Amino acid sequence: MITAQLAVADLRSSWRVWCGLFAVCAVAAIAGSVPGTLVVGGLETPDVRGLAMLSIAGTTAAFALIAVLVVVSAIVRLTAALLDRTYGLWQLAGVTPRGVRWTMLLQTALVSTAGAVAGTAVAVGVVPPAVSAALLDSNGLADVRVAPSWGEAFVVVVVTAGAAILAGASGSRRAAATSPSTGLGAPTVSRRSAAVRATVAVLLVALAGSMLAGVPASIPDGAAPALLIGPVLVAAVAVLGRTVGTPAVRVWTAIVPTGASVAFGLARAAVRWSSTRSDTTLAALLVAVGLPTALVGGQRTAASAIGADTPGGAGATVLVLSGPVLLAAIGAAATAAMAARDRARERDQLRAIGASPGLPVRVAALEGLVLGVTGTLVAAAVVAVAVTAEWAVLVGEYPGARPIFPMALLGAVAVFSTGLVVVSSVLPALPASRRRGPVQA
């Protein structure tokens, strides 16, 4: 009972931090409803058309799963990091580490379930007609219509909330391990978490390598492994976090001289200093930009081996990409919104030392821009490696194969995602009077 009261009370006071998990779980439920709707429709559709829908559902589910695991786990880690001091103060007040752990798990369960229910409620009315429209240009599926299913909606809620709670297990362990002195000082860094992430990244790279070896033999059957190699590599790099992100920020921002812009220098320092916040945003940006680019690049590279254009209809590609890309983009923006208290504190610190009202806003905007450019550059590098590797294993048996890099798609998704992050970063940095509006006499 005390745990429940503590969880609810903290949710009320820290709702800005938890709103990120709510938003991400809502979008994850919408994204998960797409393969769920396809599965229900495939089971109800006879003949080859049903099998085709189930095949699309499988690919869509795979991409949604990658996005959910990377983004939701990153959001949960950020939530725990932002509340480090709160957990330290709880222990100073007499709450045991076990109590801290179960309280955070309960909070994660409440917020993720509420978000999943909200997202599923929207998906019931939006996803079925969107899926039907997307299938119009697919061979043999133009006349297929899907209907909402409450059974599928229930499964989506359970899976989405379950994924968040599973991701919350590591966050709750971090919360329980928080030293009481953290409430008075700097947050601690978990070496165990870094080792686990490195292990996961190695396993993902090994999986991508095994799929890469089977690409030439799969060309006659549609080259399904080529669709997943790039996204799996994207997930591997996203899991590594600051191991990749910090060097990338240091390298490309070095082209701007230290004295060229005070605002840019402060933004660059903020990205490096607030590593947990930056890591989460970069992971989501990498998935948002890299996932669709890797899929389309691998798809077109494999198609070039037999002298064909992109296999399949554009509608099927939209089905596969829309949910994961939206989830990752919203996740990137949510990380910026979750850190509103930190950004407001940074704004007040700059004002306290005599900075103009506009400087904190410029710093916040440039911080979002630095994160967006870094995520785009890392995503482009990963996709380039994946596409080049696919071409290298294909060109021996298929001399006509060409490495195809979808620059237009990368640029469009990068601009959209970076714009969301910049806006979400700037809003907490705006002067309080501007955000509240004019005071009426």
Side-chain angles (χ1 to χ4, degrees), residues 252-269:
W252 86 260
T253 57
I255 64 176
V256 180
T258 304
S261 170
V262 174
F264 187 84
L266 290 172
R268 177 169 49 195

Side-chain angles (χ1 to χ4, degrees), residues 183-246:
L184 307 174
T188 58
V189 178
S190 173
R191 294 185 178 180
R192 180 181 177 183
S193 175
V196 170
R197 285 192 280 172
T199 302
V200 172
V202 169
L203 293 175
L204 289 173
V205 171
L207 174 62
S210 66
M211 290 190 294
L212 183 64
V215 169
S218 68
I219 291 295
D221 299 323
L227 302 180
L228 294 176
I229 293 170
V232 169
L233 288 178
V234 167
V237 176
V239 167
L240 289 174
R242 66 176 65 100
T243 305
V244 175
T246 300

Side-chain angles (χ1 to χ4, degrees), residues 252-347:
W252 86 260
T253 57
I255 64 176
V256 180
T258 304
S261 170
V262 174
F264 187 84
L266 290 172
R268 177 169 49 195
V271 171
R272 294 179 180 177
W273 177 76
S274 56
S275 58
T276 303
R277 185 173 76 197
S278 302
D279 285 352
T280 308
T281 306
L282 283 174
L285 282 168
L286 179 57
V287 172
V289 179
L291 210 61
T293 311
L295 179 140
V296 174
Q299 189 181 48
R300 292 180 180 175
T301 299
S304 71
I306 55 176
D309 294 328
T310 304
T317 302
V318 170
L319 279 180
V320 172
L321 296 179
S322 56
V325 171
L326 182 61
L327 170 62
I330 294 298
T335 60
M338 288 168 64
R341 290 189 299 184
D342 287 353
R343 294 184 187 279
R345 188 182 303 116
E346 292 165 6
R347 177 200 67 208

Side-chain angles (χ1 to χ4, degrees), residues 266 343-361 429-434:
L266 290 172
R343 294 184 187 279
R345 188 182 303 116
E346 292 165 6
R347 177 200 67 208
D348 294 339
Q349 289 172 344
L350 288 175
R351 294 299 308 279
I353 61 175
S356 65
L359 180 61
V361 178
L430 291 174
S433 59
R434 187 179 302 177

Side-chain angles (χ1 to χ4, degrees), residues 9 14 22 63 282 326 357 401:
S14 304
F22 178 89
F63 281 87
L282 283 174
L326 182 61

